[in-house]
Amino acid sequence: MASCSVLQKEKVFQSGAHAYRIPALLYLPQQKTLLAFAEKRMSKKDEHAELIVLRRGSYDESTKQVQVR
């Protein structure tokens, strides 16, 4: 697996009325696509899990920039 020399910190899940936990990040190098998964919860309690949410992004190798949608 390739390593990234520079990591950027970006908030992809905004918490407000909900909490997001158990994040996972998957990079698909052939598609240059990043997938960020988290569990949406009604509160921070484990038993309040509601659904799995996803944010999708792209990675530009030439500029080392990540864009999340």
Side-chain angles (χ1 to χ4, degrees), residues 16-28:
H18 295 91
Y20 297 93
R21 300 212 19 216
I22 313 171
L25 183 62
L26 175 65
Y27 177 59
L28 305 170

Side-chain angles (χ1 to χ4, degrees), residues 29-45:
Q30 291 179 338
Q31 294 85 4
K32 296 181 171 89
T33 300
L34 292 164
L35 301 175
F37 298 90
E39 189 175 61
K40 182 180 178 183
R41 298 173 178 222
M42 296 301 289
S43 76
K44 293 185 178 184
K45 293 183 179 180

Side-chain angles (χ1 to χ4, degrees), residues 7-68:
L7 296 177
Q8 297 173 346
K9 191 173 185 177
E10 183 172 337
K11 194 173 205 174
V12 293
F13 296 101
Q14 302 291 330
S15 59
H18 295 91
Y20 297 93
R21 300 212 19 216
I22 313 171
L25 183 62
L26 175 65
Y27 177 59
L28 305 170
Q30 291 179 338
Q31 294 85 4
K32 296 181 171 89
T33 300
L34 292 164
L35 301 175
F37 298 90
E39 189 175 61
K40 182 180 178 183
R41 298 173 178 222
M42 296 301 289
S43 76
K44 293 185 178 184
K45 293 183 179 180
D46 287 341
E47 60 269 14
H48 288 168
E50 190 175 347
L51 50 98
I52 301 293
V53 293
L54 164 73
R55 291 282 189 250
R56 184 174 149 175
S58 60
Y59 176 64
D60 185 341
E61 291 180 31
S62 62
T63 62
K64 308 268 191 248
Q65 293 294 314
V66 175
Q67 290 185 322
V68 178

